[in-house]
Amino acid sequence: MEKRKQTVVKLAQTALLAALCFVSFTFLQIKIPMPGGDATSLHIGNAFCVLGALLLGGWYGGLAGAIGMTIADVLDPIYIVGAPKTFVLKLCIGLIVGLVAHRIGKINESTDKKYVFRWSVLASVAGLGFNVIADPLVGYFYKQYILGQPQQMAEVLAKWSTATTFVNAVVSTILVAVLYPFPQKIFLEELIATVTEEINDEEKLRNFSELFSFTERESEVFDRLVNTEDNNQEIAESLFVSRRTLERHISAIYEKTGVKSRIGLLNLYNK
């Protein structure tokens, strides 16, 4: 149950960061028109992709940037043809930032603010530096060989894209360095609260089981009765037992605790 709750929270945070990527790219960009009806732009969308990777890890952060900015591309008639490229590149930014920050720097295991700041900046530079190289290069081949754009036009766009992507990377790195400590504190406090709650729940469950002399299996059944909304069939399936076996365990729990229903069990547990 707790693992499922943590996953839901992380997905919600990913969705929030994806929305920030979308909003920052869509409404805070300076679009620069290019020949042939194309365009490049100055924007801060990548900053939130990097923030997502620093806060949630490479996959979640990368997905936040990929989903948020791909949707922005799809909704823009100029950028829509580049949406697949955007998805791949933003996902890669998140994965690289996550690799440097969490796998190499292990920033989640340190309480040294200077150490965390240094590695978060290094991770930002690594991810956004990759994008400075990959975005115009991949864009050149994508435009010319997949979309059939004339070579000269693709070259002009690649040159402009290199310049704007570099500016975006510098601005985004500075923005991440300024913003990261604030959401980090919020996410850390939430994580501590979640872990503390989980520890307290486990201790309460253990004490309750000892008080009423539950067997190990009865403790597992009791946990699901009071901490989930699963019905008897779902509980039986999660424990890999038959429904009849489960009902015998439930009857034993009711007998030991002196209650006659699941509601009575919940009231007793939450006193």
Side-chain angles (χ1 to χ4, degrees):
M1 183 67 175
E2 289 298 330
K3 187 176 181 180
R4 187 187 306 172
K5 186 194 299 182
Q6 290 175 18
T7 301
V8 170
V9 169
K10 214 162 190 178
L11 288 173
Q13 292 167 339
T14 302
L16 174 60
L17 286 162
L20 287 171
C21 287
F22 171 82
V23 170
S24 61
F25 179 77
T26 303
F27 300 106
L28 300 177
Q29 69 166 299
I30 300 173
K31 191 174 288 186
I32 303 172
M34 292 282 104
D38 217 320
T40 185
S41 65
L42 298 170
H43 65 85
I44 58 171
N46 291 336
F48 294 99
C49 179
V50 171
L51 276 173
L54 291 173
L55 293 166
L56 302 175
W59 276 107
Y60 285 102
L63 284 173
I67 293 170
M69 296 181 70
T70 298
I71 292 174
D73 275 4
V74 169
L75 296 178
D76 190 312
I78 294 177
Y79 293 136
I80 186 170
V81 292
K85 174 180 75 77
T86 295
F87 186 91
V88 173
L89 290 177
K90 303 318 171 189
L91 180 60
C92 288
I93 291 174
L95 292 175
I96 292 170
V97 172
L99 173 66
V100 175
H102 298 288
R103 291 294 181 89
I104 300 175
K106 300 186 184 301
I107 61 174
N108 284 350
E109 298 176 14
S110 177
T111 56
D112 185 334
K113 292 182 179 180
K114 290 183 179 179
Y115 177 87
V116 172
F117 176 79
R118 184 167 64 249
W119 275 100
S120 64
V121 171
L122 284 173
S124 302
V125 170
L128 295 171
F130 158 82
N131 194 56
V132 169
I133 298 170
D135 190 281
L137 189 62
V138 173
Y140 172 77
F141 287 103
Y142 183 78
K143 294 284 186 179
Q144 185 177 351
Y145 294 107
I146 295 180
L147 301 181
Q149 193 176 68
Q151 182 178 354
Q152 187 176 1
M153 194 178 296
E155 288 176 355
V156 171
L157 183 60
K159 290 175 182 177
W160 273 94
S161 180
T162 301
T164 56
T165 304
F166 177 78
V167 173
N168 292 340
V170 172
V171 173
S172 293
T173 300
I174 295 171
L175 194 59
V176 168
V178 173
L179 292 178
Y180 178 54
F182 299 102
Q184 182 197 24
K185 185 175 184 293
I186 295 171
F187 276 67
L188 186 61
E189 288 175 348
E190 183 177 305
L191 177 62
I192 291 172
T194 300
V195 172
T196 302
E197 181 183 350
E198 185 174 351
I199 292 172
N200 291 339
D201 286 346
E202 288 177 356
E203 185 177 357
K204 182 179 180 181
L205 180 64
R206 184 171 60 254
N207 292 339
F208 206 87
S209 296
E210 290 175 357
L211 177 64
F212 291 100
S213 302
F214 291 158
T215 65
E216 183 178 346
R217 178 61 83 181
E218 287 169 356
S219 294
E220 293 174 344
V221 172
F222 176 77
D223 179 27
R224 284 161 173 77
L225 288 173
V226 297
N227 287 320
T228 75
E229 297 179 359
D230 295 347
N231 58 37
N232 285 0
Q233 184 61 42
E234 290 169 336
I235 294 174
E237 290 173 358
S238 70
L239 294 175
F240 302 102
V241 298
S242 68
R243 181 162 180 165
R244 180 172 295 182
T245 299
L246 175 73
E247 288 172 352
R248 285 203 301 270
H249 289 308
I250 293 175
S251 296
I253 291 169
Y254 287 170
E255 184 177 345
K256 289 180 179 181
T257 56
V259 303
K260 296 182 179 180
S261 67
R262 188 170 181 174
I263 293 176
L265 198 64
L266 281 166
N267 290 336
L268 179 65
Y269 184 65
N270 291 321
K271 274 185 178 180

